[in-house]
Amino acid sequence: MTASHDPIAFELFRNAIFSIADEMALTVFRTTYSGVLKDNMDYSTAFADANGRLVAQGLTLPGHLGSIPTALDSIMRHFGDAMNEGDIYVLNDPFDGGMHLPDIFVFKPLYHEGRRLAFAATVCHHTDVGGRVAGSNASDSTEIYAEGLRIPPLKLYDRGVRNETLMSIIERNVRLPVRLFGDLRAQLAACHIAEAQFRELVSRYGAATVSTYMEEVIDYAERLTRAALADLPDGEWSFEDWIDDDGVDVGKPIRLFVTLRKRGGHMVVDWTGTNPQVKGAINNTLSFTKAASYTAVRSVLPAGIPNNEGVFRAIEVICPPGTVGNGVLPAACAARGLTGFRMTDCMFGALAMMLPDRVFAAGDGGNTGISIGGWDAARQPFIYVDFTCGAWGARPWADGLDGNSHMFANMASHSVEVTEAEQPIQLLAYEFVPDKAGAGKFRGGVPFRRDYRFLEEEGTLQVRSDRRVHRPFGLYGGSPGAPSANVLNPDTDNRPLPSKVTMTIRRGEVFRHVLAGGGGWGDPLERDTALVLRDVRNELLSIAKAAADYGVVIADGRIDEAATARLRAERRKQRGWQEPPKVLRDDPLPQAAE
């Protein structure tokens, strides 16, 4: 048996190549400067073959599943066979391989005896890349030119020599060059780790076998994906959802529409019918729409399928140019994360029509982006960037997760203590909010709120949120989650703010953000009364909402069984359902909304 056909040797190689991608991710985590990377973990690492085909993606963000192949394809188109040993490439241009300007890609080709064998790849969300608003991710920018420094595919290093011209341009155009360069060095360190470990693989297996195995890892993932898709029902399913607005044309909803067509071992994800691109900065690149599509489909396939080019071969994604899912110049896209997350939820809606017992309801609609920037008394810049989400939709077999990041993000929270030590901000509250989870046989995830007190004289607050009007949908009788909220000075002025806002904030002012609740799954009147009582005792549900949403009467800390039976019968009669609706976007009864 040759080495290339030895299943044990292949399995050892497959695990080794994925461990390199994971070690790259851990290297970024250990060496980065900014909270958006070391806490939110808004970055990805990967390993590709000599032709730029993704072989292994490391830990961290599903949101980057489609991004690295697209960016590397741009590098290949621009440089192709003109690459040299010691070169390192960089880009962030959304219209030439990138996603949005804060996401900077770094690629290092890896050589053996003068022959290119592979690429080490990283992408990191940088705290600031210039533009009109600190953090470079304002929702209300209306064209790409206002959003920051746009880097086309370029050489960051040419045969080992750093491009000082490019570094000088970057330094003069960003607010925190020390932080950006520190994070960029973390990406370079990850590529260096990949190079050293790949050299060991080549010395162990030989260059020819390594190339053969990398191709086989991709083919292996394709075979597994197509076999898993073949086990799913054939057919066509569509789903529609809405983003409230883009923050510029306020009150004008933005349609998301997806159709799944599945035949055998192939699936088409077609976003035809989705809204034309908008003025505000929530337009996706096609690569981010692909990532949302891949993530959702991947979630209903078995565990253990490697994330690489082989998966993507079996899932075709269509999104017409000029739409909010595939913007063209001069589309603003800094806040495109919102659309990507909502497209994932829309995908789950379509998949729930296909697989009703396997797919959960809509989550909080995350993630919410919050940035606070300005200058301190010494005229030194500060920028706080946070992405927050934490309420899953209910599952067909269990409640939605509370305080858990959206599947598309896989992000951790910033440390309160570190935030307060590094930024002119106090976190006054970080707590669950009762009566916000969508009711159901299994309830949605309970959302949380955060209160931020600003401590400098003046700064700019930028918020990207949604699910104010179009709430997280419930499935198969489950109620939608309660809407999100933004409030300024909740204990004094209690001034409501729009879902998307860029405004001045001053010393002592408090900004509160409340996430939307996750949607419920199944008929709330079928929920185990003991679970309702547990939520009341844990202060996640009030006694009044227990009665209104679940028909459960609680008195003196106990369930009144007789009164509950009567109230549930009354609620069933009021609703008049012949069968639970597949999708609920509003409460089934007025009482449940009180």
Side-chain angles (χ1 to χ4, degrees):
M1 180 179 292
T2 64
S4 61
H5 292 91
D6 182 344
I8 296 176
F10 169 72
E11 185 66 12
L12 290 171
F13 176 87
R14 184 177 71 84
N15 283 277
I17 204 80
F18 273 87
S19 72
I20 292 176
D22 290 345
E23 185 63 28
M24 292 172 69
L26 292 172
T27 299
V28 174
F29 177 77
R30 292 170 181 145
T31 59
T32 190
Y33 281 41
S34 62
V36 73
L37 297 180
K38 65 188 177 186
D39 293 319
N40 284 152
M41 298 179 71
D42 191 350
Y43 65 90
S44 283
T45 57
F47 212 87
D49 70 6
N51 297 313
R53 296 177 301 181
L54 186 69
V55 176
Q57 181 150 343
L59 303 165
T60 64
L61 251 64
H64 294 156
L65 275 173
S67 66
I68 287 174
T70 301
L72 190 47
D73 179 67
S74 178
I75 295 294
M76 298 294 286
R77 283 189 287 103
H78 281 273
F79 297 98
D81 294 330
M83 295 179 184
N84 300 292
E85 194 164 357
D87 289 353
I88 299 178
Y89 299 89
V90 64
L91 69 86
N92 77 343
D93 185 355
F95 302 104
D96 200 351
M99 290 189 292
H100 69 161
L101 298 183
D103 283 341
I104 297 179
F105 293 82
V106 171
F107 297 102
K108 181 169 183 156
L110 307 180
Y111 286 80
H112 175 72
E113 297 180 349
R115 175 187 166 206
R116 188 179 73 229
L117 291 184
F119 286 88
T122 66
V123 54
C124 288
H125 182 116
H126 288 256
T127 301
D128 181 82
V129 290
R132 53 180 281 270
V133 174
S136 314
N137 57 2
S139 303
D140 57 351
S141 296
T142 56
E143 57 181 13
I144 188 70
Y145 307 106
E147 296 187 310
L149 182 64
R150 193 166 150 215
I151 305 171
L154 293 172
K155 287 187 178 182
L156 183 61
Y157 283 78
D158 186 354
R159 299 176 189 263
V161 178
R162 192 169 75 166
N163 185 340
E164 298 296 344
T165 301
L166 175 59
M167 296 296 276
S168 296
I169 290 172
I170 293 173
E171 182 180 17
R172 299 295 176 90
N173 282 276
V174 305
R175 293 173 176 84
L176 294 172
V178 171
R179 189 181 298 179
L180 186 147
F181 288 147
D183 291 344
L184 201 59
R185 285 195 297 271
Q187 293 182 256
L188 294 171
C191 291
H192 174 73
I193 290 291
E195 184 175 39
Q197 294 191 357
F198 184 67
R199 190 178 297 121
E200 293 180 11
L201 274 186
V202 174
S203 67
R204 185 186 313 162
Y205 292 95
T209 300
V210 164
S211 296
T212 299
Y213 274 166
M214 285 194 292
E215 184 171 356
E216 175 58 21
V217 169
I218 295 172
D219 292 343
Y220 172 70
E222 181 181 5
R223 290 195 300 272
L224 290 179
T225 304
R226 292 194 185 279
L229 287 172
D231 286 339
L232 302 181
D234 287 343
E236 182 173 309
W237 303 267
S238 296
F239 198 81
E240 177 185 62
D241 201 4
W242 299 84
I243 297 173
D244 292 347
D245 58 47
D246 67 350
V248 176
D249 289 329
V250 177
K252 183 178 179 181
I254 299 161
R255 187 188 193 222
L256 301 176
F257 185 79
V258 66
T259 299
L260 305 181
R261 302 183 190 94
K262 191 264 161 180
R263 295 289 183 276
H266 184 74
M267 178 178 282
V268 175
V269 180
D270 188 352
W271 291 96
T272 301
T274 288
N275 207 91
Q277 71 185 55
V278 294
K279 295 177 184 176
I282 64 169
N283 299 290
N284 270 8
T285 56
L286 179 59
S287 64
F288 204 56
T289 293
K290 285 182 177 180
S293 305
Y294 297 148
T295 298
V297 176
R298 186 72 178 77
S299 72
V300 300
L301 302 182
I305 300 175
N307 283 321
N308 64 27
E309 175 72 22
V311 176
F312 310 152
R313 290 173 181 170
I315 305 168
E316 179 184 354
V317 180
I318 299 169
C319 191
T323 62
V324 73
N326 187 6
V328 298
L329 271 172
C333 58
R336 62 83 176 93
L338 168 63
T339 302
F341 281 84
R342 294 296 304 282
M343 284 184 134
T344 305
D345 282 349
C346 192
M347 280 288 299
F348 286 143
L351 288 167
M353 303 300 103
M354 176 189 191
L355 303 164
D357 296 329
R358 292 174 58 180
V359 181
F360 47 73
D364 57 50
N367 60 15
T368 294
I370 297 170
S371 61
I372 302 174
W375 302 81
D376 64 19
R379 302 305 299 163
Q380 295 299 310
F382 61 85
I383 305 174
Y384 170 75
V385 176
D386 189 20
F387 298 107
T388 182
C389 46
W392 280 37
R395 297 163 286 178
W397 61 89
D399 292 347
L401 298 175
D402 309 325
N404 204 76
S405 172
H406 192 289
M407 181 179 287
F408 197 42
N410 195 28
M411 290 177 171
S413 293
H414 284 215
S415 161
V416 170
E417 292 78 11
V418 172
T419 296
E420 293 185 341
E422 295 182 347
Q423 308 290 347
I425 295 168
Q426 283 182 326
L427 273 295
L428 304 181
Y430 184 4
E431 59 192 15
F432 288 124
V433 183
D435 293 343
K436 293 283 187 178
K441 179 178 181 179
F442 301 107
R443 64 159 173 79
V446 177
F448 57 77
R449 70 176 173 94
R450 283 184 179 158
D451 289 359
Y452 305 80
R453 176 186 283 157
F454 186 62
L455 302 180
E456 272 298 338
E457 284 302 316
E458 183 177 291
T460 299
L461 168 68
Q462 192 282 137
V463 183
R464 177 201 76 200
S465 63
D466 203 65
R467 288 298 195 193
R468 186 74 59 82
V469 178
H470 298 88
R471 296 158 56 186
F473 55 81
L475 292 175
Y476 297 98
S479 297
S484 67
N486 295 321
V487 180
L488 188 67
N489 300 322
D491 294 329
T492 54
D493 303 339
N494 199 31
R495 172 185 159 196
L497 298 175
S499 62
K500 300 162 190 71
V501 62
T502 302
M503 60 176 287
T504 299
I505 188 169
R506 294 181 170 82
R507 184 186 294 275
E509 291 189 317
V510 176
F511 168 69
R512 170 178 292 174
H513 176 66
V514 183
L515 290 171
W521 195 99
D523 187 345
L525 300 183
E526 294 180 3
R527 183 166 177 78
D528 187 334
T529 56
L531 296 179
V532 176
L533 181 61
R534 183 193 65 183
D535 282 347
V536 170
R537 288 175 172 171
N538 287 333
E539 298 182 350
L540 303 177
L541 182 70
S542 68
I543 290 175
K545 285 287 281 182
D549 288 355
Y550 296 100
V552 175
V553 179
I554 298 173
D556 299 323
R558 298 175 181 275
I559 297 171
D560 185 328
E561 301 287 355
T564 294
R566 289 193 299 271
L567 184 56
R568 284 189 159 183
E570 179 184 329
R571 291 281 189 260
R572 288 190 180 93
K573 184 177 180 181
Q574 286 177 304
R575 287 185 326 199
W577 289 353
Q578 297 300 313
E579 60 181 32
K582 291 182 178 179
V583 183
L584 267 178
R585 304 178 189 274
D586 296 297
D587 294 303
L589 293 172
Q591 294 92 330
E594 293 176 358

